[in-house]
Amino acid sequence: MTASDLYWDPFRRDIWVDPYPVYKRLRAEAPVYYNEEHDFYAFARWADVDRGLPDVEHFSNARGNIYEFIKSGIEMPPGSVIFEDPPSHGIHRRLVSRLFSPGGIRSLESKIRDYVVRQLEPVQDGAGFDVIDILSDKVPMRVIGMLVGIPEEMQQSVRDRTVANLTTEEGGKLDAEASQIGTDIFEGYIDWRIANPSEDIMTKLLNAEFEDHDGTTRGLTREEILVYCAVISGAGNETTGQLMGWIGKVFGEEKNHRQYQEVVANPSLAGNAVEEVLRLEPVGQAVGRYVRKDVEFHGQTIPEGSTALFLVGSAGRDEAKFENPDVLDIHRDITAQRSFGYGLHYCLGANLARMEGRIVLEELVKRFPKGWDVDLSGARIASTTTVRGWEKLPIVLRK
Ligand code: HEM
């Protein structure tokens, strides 16, 4: 099935640092790749990712979408959306999607921009700064705080928890037990919000009524609201933070400076430039599924009970889909993007993440028209098996 020297897993740091040459070989030589050591199947071609992700008949999210969770068999609480199949998935997704209404998100834009400016102003006249410290570590959590009304003083501890949950020993696996959805951190907030109702979205959720799958109409329980908070901060924090890291990394590369200059000259290119960064360096490389029914790919049966990993990181580099896929092209016509998944579980926060990325790039080009270089001696890739990005990303501003 696979050439003997062709190997991929999400745990090997040497592969994680630059997975793209391996993906290229997987697409060409092993469209159905089976890893014996860790017992999973991986699909590297755009067409197979596109076929598998929306196929809820054969692939289930009920055990999560991360290898370690799927293998652990840990049960997820109801309302966890990412970890649910139809019909409960649809019911819970519809409720939480109220948080992401286009109007609601648009109204956050000026607040997000103010915060990004507040972060950049103190460093803009210096020699450089760490993108992770100044942007990734702060902006997405602040935005989630705005979205669900979490008071500022609670936000950093939530952010620290999400990073701690995702961090692994080098070369090790995620501890699914230890990093399952932690709701305790939001308890104080929800109790306070119940006692202090306001116009905010969390109060609306606390008072929302919906029809459950047994046909009864009811409100959300406190436990369900806690799960929503945990899911949103788990899904939207480190992912969006690492998008900011990749914006810093990609535009700090000499070969991309000319394109950065184009955004400086014409900031309306920022939106598509961010879309291209998402394609080139997707923060989530693999979206996992539990195989609930035998299914055939390329003449081979993937048996019920196995674990499938759809490599969105590879799909974005598939030469059958994109011309010159390894090259940044901020003018590329990106009509489809799989970095936010595809199908029923398509990322609820995609437009919010895109907006955050665009605001960051717009504010960077405004302040640093000459661009920057990454100080690779101080940069360090984060040790995780899930969200691929930077623990430290110092940049030196060009003067
Ligand atoms: C660059 C940033 C982001 C990336 C790359 C990303 C990626 C993804 C992907 C690939 C999925 C699909 C999972 C699957 O199919 O199993 C997903 C789902 C989800 N994302 Fe995001 N995400 C990002 C930002 C956000 C933000 C900012 C939020 C919220 C504040 C968010 C909330 C969610 C939720 C709630 C789901 C579950 C949707 C469902 O299962 O129906 N994400 N995300």
Side-chain angles (χ1 to χ4, degrees):
M1 187 188 338
T2 59
S4 58
D5 66 331
L6 180 51
Y7 185 86
W8 179 83
D9 74 33
F11 317 111
R12 277 251 310 259
R13 196 172 166 90
D14 56 330
I15 302 177
W16 188 248
V17 169
D18 181 14
Y20 303 110
V22 181
Y23 291 161
K24 192 181 172 92
R25 285 195 58 197
L26 289 174
R27 289 193 300 273
E29 299 169 38
V32 178
Y33 170 76
Y34 178 65
N35 182 306
E36 254 180 55
E37 190 182 340
H38 301 288
D39 184 30
F40 65 78
Y41 291 85
F43 301 88
R45 290 186 184 169
W46 171 281
D48 294 327
V49 169
D50 244 33
R51 189 189 134 193
L53 281 183
D55 178 358
V56 290
E57 183 192 340
H58 296 100
F59 298 104
S60 165
N61 268 57
R63 296 176 182 225
N65 59 7
I66 293 174
Y67 169 89
E68 292 92 326
F69 275 94
I70 298 171
K71 289 290 183 196
S72 74
I74 285 175
E75 280 222 11
M76 295 296 157
S80 46
V81 193
I82 303 184
F83 309 86
E84 289 181 298
D85 289 329
S88 65
H89 168 260
I91 292 168
H92 290 125
R93 181 175 165 116
R94 268 193 300 284
L95 276 163
V96 83
S97 70
R98 294 172 190 212
L99 292 170
F100 301 94
S101 71
I105 287 178
R106 221 176 306 117
S107 71
L108 290 183
E109 173 150 6
S110 61
K111 287 191 205 155
I112 299 174
R113 191 176 300 278
D114 288 351
Y115 185 71
V116 170
V117 169
R118 216 165 98 196
Q119 284 301 102
L120 289 177
E121 269 176 355
V123 293
Q124 70 188 39
D125 297 323
F129 58 91
D130 190 324
V131 175
I132 305 307
D133 261 6
I134 299 295
L135 296 170
S136 314
D137 199 27
K138 308 284 183 326
V139 180
M141 186 59 235
R142 191 56 58 111
V143 174
I144 288 164
M146 293 172 193
L147 196 68
V148 295
I150 300 173
E152 265 184 47
E153 61 277 13
M154 286 181 63
Q155 292 175 1
Q156 193 57 39
S157 55
V158 173
R159 154 83 188 152
D160 293 345
R161 170 78 75 90
T162 58
V163 173
N165 279 355
L166 292 173
T167 302
T168 55
E169 296 279 317
E170 272 201 37
K173 288 183 180 164
L174 186 80
D175 182 342
E177 191 78 49
S179 60
Q180 19 175 348
I181 294 180
T183 55
D184 51 316
I185 199 155
F186 298 102
E187 305 238 354
Y189 165 59
I190 291 297
D191 291 339
W192 174 81
R193 183 53 83 200
I194 291 170
N196 297 277
S198 78
E199 279 305 294
D200 77 302
I201 197 82
M202 194 44 69
T203 306
K204 287 190 187 127
L205 263 186
L206 282 163
N207 296 323
E209 292 224 310
F210 69 103
E211 191 177 323
D212 214 345
H213 34 93
D214 58 6
T216 55
T217 300
R218 65 174 181 94
L220 286 163
T221 63
R222 181 172 175 280
E223 189 52 42
E224 283 168 327
I225 301 268
L226 285 170
V227 171
Y228 277 169
C229 288
V231 165
I232 291 163
S233 62
N237 234 320
E238 188 59 359
T239 46
T240 317
Q242 289 304 346
L243 166 61
M244 294 168 192
W246 284 112
I247 291 172
K249 171 67 169 55
V250 166
F251 287 110
E253 288 175 46
E254 184 60 44
K255 62 182 178 199
N256 297 324
H257 267 280
R258 191 189 51 74
Q259 295 192 64
Y260 180 78
Q261 293 304 325
E262 283 190 64
V263 188
V264 173
N266 180 4
S268 72
L269 294 171
N272 206 57
V274 168
E275 201 67 21
E276 176 67 344
V277 171
L278 281 159
R279 177 197 68 80
L280 193 71
E281 295 287 5
V283 298
Q285 293 281 313
V287 179
R289 295 285 187 261
Y290 177 75
V291 181
R292 62 156 122 205
K293 204 171 172 187
D294 283 7
V295 60
E296 205 181 290
F297 273 73
H298 301 283
Q300 194 183 323
T301 300
I302 317 301
E304 178 185 332
S306 42
T307 299
L309 299 180
F310 292 98
L311 303 182
V312 292
S314 170
R317 301 274 190 135
D318 191 336
E319 36 295 282
K321 178 76 186 169
F322 299 102
E323 221 172 283
N324 287 330
D326 295 330
V327 173
L328 179 84
D329 175 3
I330 60 168
H331 300 288
R332 195 185 288 276
D333 182 10
I334 312 171
T335 46
Q337 171 78 276
R338 295 296 173 252
S339 303
F340 290 113
Y342 188 44
L344 285 188
H345 290 274
Y346 181 76
C347 177
L348 264 172
N351 288 334
L352 183 60
R354 286 179 165 120
M355 186 166 89
E356 290 182 55
R358 172 176 57 74
I359 292 172
V360 160
L361 184 54
E362 285 167 353
E363 295 304 324
L364 288 171
V365 296
K366 205 184 283 173
R367 277 172 186 72
F368 311 117
K370 295 200 173 141
W372 59 84
D373 296 291
V374 174
D375 168 13
L376 284 173
S377 65
R380 193 180 148 77
I381 206 143
S383 184
T384 83
T385 61
T386 47
V387 179
R388 181 169 169 272
W390 300 88
E391 188 182 312
K392 289 186 185 307
L393 192 75
I395 59 171
V396 181
L397 297 169
R398 291 188 173 187
K399 297 288 178 183

